[in-house]
Structure formats: structure tokens, C-alpha cells
């Protein structure tokens, strides 16, 4: 059985990797963010080819602020999502929760996920690029060649002096370290176009689901070949529930 599972996972990983490549200009792999098993099934039923788990959405569903979810709870949630669907699942695992690279790889692979995001900042500060590149290289070695390693670049998010130049430098270092994709979170469309042109791997853009930022179509037009939503879908769902519950509470107040 173990060999069958490993073979199935390898096939799913290869399928996920292939989804990133061979796309026409202006076309992107769109990965909705599912934060629980029910949401994952909704994504699958809608016909998407793969999905991404958002750390912010998973954390909220478990009662934690973004960045405060314990590793064991995050990996357990990813495993429930991956078990719920036949789609390839890639997981946002922040910066690995302080775990050594081999343990990060083991825990990720145990969930059934076939890819992950790893970010390059801690507590709002960028990790030195060389240090992050070494970390990514160690994770790459521990994961093996199949899972898709998406390197998040936080230069625009955390106020680098020259964010585009910083993102380019980091992106090149991370690709050399074995990253399969680069995720310059928060970069504007013009900078994303430069990064997509200059880097030899898929560039991941962050879309907004309710305005206030670029759409999936705008990101694809800028050259992003992968689009994710962070915790945006989860936040929108919780906002809807919050509004409904507050309306219900108002109805139940005396004199209403």
C-alpha cells in the first residue's frame, strides 16, 4: 500500500508541476484558497485543476491569528483538505514554523500535499537573502525533486528600499537554490511584469476577490502564470457570516 500511495502522490505532483507550464500569454493557473475540507470540495466541484491552502484562512478557522497557528494544527488541517479531494494541493506553511528542513519536508509529504509556499520574512522583517537561499536549498533536498517549491518574496510587503531590485535579487537566488516558482507578494502589476520577464520560473500573483487590488485576469495579463488569493476567500466568507449573525442578533433584541 505504501508503494501505491507514493506512486499516486508522485503522479499528482507531476500533474501539478505540469499545470504551471505550457500556458499561452495572458493565461494563468488559478488556485482558489480552501481553508477546510468543505471548501476544498467546493473548489473541486467548480472544476478547478488544483487548489492552495491559505495560512491566514486555516489559522482563522482554527481560532488563531495569522502567523500564530501551531505547526501540528496547520499540517493536520492541510492533511484533512488533501484527503477530501483528488486535486493537487499546495500548502502555505509560512516559513516552516522553525522546524528543520527535513522535518518540514516529512510533515508536508505526510499531509498528501504536493507543493508548498515558504516565505522569506519573520515577524515583519526580511531574512537575509543568502540565509533564505540556503534554507530553501535544504528544503529542496529534503523534499526531493517532485513537489513544487514556491518561494515567497516579501520585499514589497515589508518595505525594502528598492523592492523591485530586491525582489529580483532574491528571486534569482531562490531559483538557483531550487525553487520552482517565485511569489513576490504585494508587488504592483508593473513590477510583476518585470519579474515575470526576468525570472526563468512561474511568477505567482496575489489576486483580490472583492476589489482593492489586481484581479486574476490583470495578473495573468502582467505575465503571472500562477494566481492565488491568500486568505481573501476565507475573509470574505467570514465577513458574510458575521453580517448574517449580527442581523439575526438585531432581530432578537427586545423592541426590534
Amino acid at each position: 500500500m505504501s508503494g501505491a500511495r507514493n506512486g499516486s502522490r508522485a503522479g499528482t505532483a507531476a500533474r501539478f508541476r505540469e499545470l504551471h507550464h505550457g500556458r499561452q500569454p495572458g493565461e494563468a493557473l488559478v488556485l482558489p484558497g480552501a481553508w477546510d475540507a468543505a471548501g476544498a470540495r467546493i473548489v473541486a466541484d467548480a472544476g478547478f485543476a488544483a487548489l492552495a491552502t491559505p495560512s491566514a484562512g486555516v489559522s482563522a478557522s482554527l481560532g488563531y491569528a495569522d502567523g500564530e497557528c501551531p505547526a501540528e494544527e496547520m499540517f493536520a488541517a492541510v492533511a484533512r483538505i488533501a484527503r477530501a479531494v483528488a486535486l493537487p494541493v499546495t500548502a502555505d506553511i509560512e516559513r516552516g514554523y522553525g522546524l528543520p528542513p527535513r522535518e518540514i519536508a516529512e510533515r508536508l509529504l505526510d499531509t498528501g500535499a504536493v507543493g508548498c509556499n515558504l516565505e522569506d520574512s519573520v515577524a515583519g522583517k526580511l531574512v537575509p537573502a543568502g540565509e533564505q537561499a540556503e534554507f530553501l536549498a535544504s528544503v529542496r533536498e529534503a523534499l526531493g525533486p517532485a513537489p513544487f517549491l514556491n518561494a515567497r518574496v516579501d520585499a514589497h510587503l515589508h518595505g525594502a528600499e528598492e523592492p523591485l531590485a530586491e525582489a529580483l535579487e532574491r528571486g534569482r537566488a531562490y531559483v538557483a537554490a531550487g525553487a520552482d516558482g517565485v511569489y513576490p507578494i504585494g508587488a504592483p502589476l508593473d513590477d510583476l511584469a518585470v519579474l515575470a520577464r526576468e525570472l526563468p520560473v512561474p511568477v505567482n500573483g496575489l489576486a483580490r476577490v472583492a476589489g482593492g487590488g489586481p484581479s486574476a485576469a490583470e495578473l495573468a495579463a502582467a505575465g503571472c502564470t500562477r494566481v492565488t488569493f491568500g486568505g481573501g476567500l476565507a475573509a470574505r466568507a467570514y465577513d458574510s457570516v458575521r453580517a448574517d449573525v449580527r442581523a439575526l442578533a438585531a432581530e432578537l433584541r427586545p423592541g426590534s
Side-chain angles (χ1 to χ4, degrees):
M1 286 292 290
S2 176
R5 281 198 303 271
N6 289 341
S8 174
R9 182 169 62 197
T12 304
R15 177 157 51 99
F16 184 56
R17 181 177 292 278
E18 289 170 2
L19 288 170
H20 291 80
H21 299 284
R23 294 186 167 270
Q24 297 298 314
E27 181 186 11
L29 171 63
V30 177
L31 302 174
W35 59 97
D36 61 15
R41 286 178 174 160
I42 290 170
V43 172
D45 289 345
F48 285 91
L51 64 85
T53 71
S55 65
V58 172
S59 296
S61 75
L62 297 173
Y64 297 100
D66 188 21
E68 296 182 4
C69 184
E72 56 272 17
E73 294 197 44
M74 183 64 72
F75 284 113
V78 172
R80 289 192 293 272
I81 290 166
R83 282 197 302 268
V85 292
L87 301 183
V89 171
T90 182
D92 179 355
I93 52 171
E94 302 179 37
R95 198 173 178 266
Y97 309 101
L99 300 172
R102 183 163 297 281
E103 186 172 352
I104 292 171
E106 289 173 352
R107 289 198 182 197
L108 180 74
L109 295 175
D110 283 346
T111 68
V114 294
C116 68
N117 289 350
L118 285 169
E119 58 198 50
D120 65 352
S121 62
V122 175
K125 293 184 178 180
L126 289 166
V127 175
E131 179 182 334
Q132 181 69 4
E134 290 179 6
F135 172 66
L136 290 171
S138 296
V139 174
R140 171 86 282 165
E141 181 179 10
L143 281 172
F148 195 96
L149 179 57
N150 198 36
R152 205 176 90 176
V153 179
D154 291 357
H156 289 81
L157 189 65
H158 294 310
E161 187 173 340
E162 296 184 21
L164 176 56
E166 181 77 18
L168 277 169
E169 178 185 349
R170 287 173 176 266
R172 289 174 177 135
Y174 300 165
V175 172
D180 299 297
V182 172
Y183 181 13
I185 188 169
L189 291 171
D190 287 348
D191 286 7
L192 287 168
V194 174
L195 290 160
R197 186 170 62 248
E198 296 292 330
L199 298 176
V201 295
V203 169
N204 188 152
L206 175 66
R208 304 294 182 184
V209 293
S215 67
E218 289 170 330
L219 291 165
C224 294
T225 50
R226 168 167 157 160
V227 171
T228 54
F229 299 84
L233 290 168
R236 190 173 185 184
Y238 288 131
D239 284 346
S240 178
V241 173
R242 186 178 297 109
D244 288 345
V245 170
R246 286 177 175 173
L248 177 60
E251 291 176 11
L252 296 175
R253 290 192 191 105
S256 62

